[in-house]
Amino acid sequence: MYFTTPRAWDNLPLRLTTEEIRDPHEVIHEYYSAHDMPRARQILNKWLCSTSKEKPSKLSASGLQFFYERTESLIEAAYLIEQLDNSDRKAIIIQSDDEEEIDLMNPRLFCAWIRQSKGEAITYREVWDNFPRSLAYKEFLDPYQVLGKFFSFLTLGEWRELLRELFSMGISRRTFLDETLDFDMLGIKRHLEKLIEACHLIDVREHRQAFYDEVVREADEKKSEA
């Protein structure tokens, strides 16, 4: 789509370190340590909107570059994870026929904050902001499904080329309307939003919720000993 002759390095993780290649799930965790999901979704929308306008993005150039580089790392990590056997991962919710219907708005399925572990209430607004509204029902239950669809839309090399073009447009007066490239902006936006939300679910269910549960357990033990 963006280049005619595939290159040997197109489907290699060029931005990730050796340690990150060994543990791509850690890249996901670091991504949401830098931006929570609602903020990442907001930055993405501002960035993509700026590519259809002659005015540069209202985001700072350094801020946009940081987000662009982080997102490219996230995509490379997702590419590595998609090639693994993820059938037994904790992020997947398996519902048997005899179980009650899942409460999709249960914050434990898609939210995790340190203050929640301290017994503080989560506001309805926070729950709504963190709900992954771009995902289908089956994708909400199994966010790993999103990864395969993401790389069926574009290859890793094509995503990398695309992000580079979008970053250039975001910090200049160039727009995709001026280019001869075939940009499916609606499809690009949809898949990037889904990736950000799906990886957020993976991070919450496989890392953050377990960590906060441990914090709560230790706090309860200290109270019982006092």
Side-chain angles (χ1 to χ4, degrees):
M1 182 177 180
Y2 297 105
F3 40 78
T4 55
T5 305
R7 299 161 296 190
W9 59 86
D10 285 337
N11 288 318
L12 295 177
L14 304 181
R15 187 174 291 279
L16 302 186
T17 65
T18 303
E19 291 75 15
E20 290 171 335
I21 291 174
R22 291 196 186 106
D23 186 7
H25 280 85
E26 183 62 24
V27 178
I28 291 179
H29 178 58
E30 290 299 323
Y31 185 86
Y32 297 101
S33 295
H35 303 98
D36 62 24
M37 191 271 286
R39 177 59 178 161
R41 194 165 52 193
Q42 182 185 56
I43 295 174
L44 174 67
N45 286 330
K46 288 183 177 180
W47 177 14
L48 296 184
C49 284
S50 72
T51 64
S52 62
K53 301 176 182 178
E54 292 186 355
K55 293 183 178 180
S57 170
K58 293 182 179 180
L59 300 168
S60 68
S62 59
L64 182 56
Q65 181 175 5
F66 179 77
F67 183 75
Y68 151 62
E69 291 175 352
R70 286 279 183 168
T71 302
E72 186 174 89
S73 294
L74 181 71
I75 290 173
E76 290 186 348
Y79 177 76
L80 295 178
I81 292 171
E82 197 274 329
Q83 299 177 68
L84 302 175
D85 179 7
N86 300 301
S87 58
D88 293 328
R89 301 295 305 191
K90 291 169 59 178
I92 301 175
I93 300 173
I94 300 176
Q95 184 181 22
S96 59
D97 295 335
D98 58 344
E99 288 182 331
E100 294 183 4
E101 187 175 356
I102 294 174
D103 178 11
L104 299 182
M105 294 306 293
N106 181 353
R108 287 184 60 86
L109 299 180
F110 57 90
C111 300
W113 296 280
I114 190 65
R115 69 184 188 83
Q116 177 187 3
S117 68
K118 298 178 181 178
E120 299 180 20
I122 302 172
T123 67
Y124 292 121
R125 173 60 184 271
E126 288 174 316
V127 172
W128 169 247
D129 286 344
N130 282 269
F131 189 79
R133 58 185 66 97
S134 296
L135 302 185
Y137 177 72
K138 291 183 178 180
E139 293 168 341
F140 180 84
L141 298 182
D142 180 5
Y144 286 100
Q145 290 187 10
V146 173
L147 307 188
K149 297 173 184 177
F150 186 82
F151 293 106
S152 293
F153 182 74
L154 293 176
T155 66
L156 174 60
E158 288 173 330
W159 276 115
R160 201 153 37 209
E161 288 289 307
L162 172 65
L163 287 188
R164 189 176 297 115
E165 288 287 341
L166 294 178
F167 174 67
S168 175
M169 295 174 193
I171 59 175
S172 69
R173 295 184 181 277
R174 291 176 56 221
T175 74
F176 74 89
L177 300 175
D178 301 327
E179 304 297 327
T180 58
L181 295 175
D182 181 19
F183 278 77
D184 177 7
M185 287 304 296
L186 290 179
I188 291 166
K189 179 177 183 293
R190 182 178 70 254
H191 282 282
L192 285 171
E193 282 183 336
K194 280 179 172 284
L195 181 73
I196 287 175
E197 294 183 350
C199 288
H200 164 74
L201 293 183
I202 292 171
D203 183 41
V204 167
R205 296 173 186 173
E206 300 200 7
H207 182 90
R208 296 185 187 274
Q209 197 63 63
F211 171 74
Y212 298 148
D213 286 346
E214 181 65 19
V215 172
V216 172
R217 186 187 63 79
E218 292 178 356
D220 291 341
E221 288 180 352
K222 290 181 180 179
K223 288 180 181 179
S224 61
E225 293 173 357

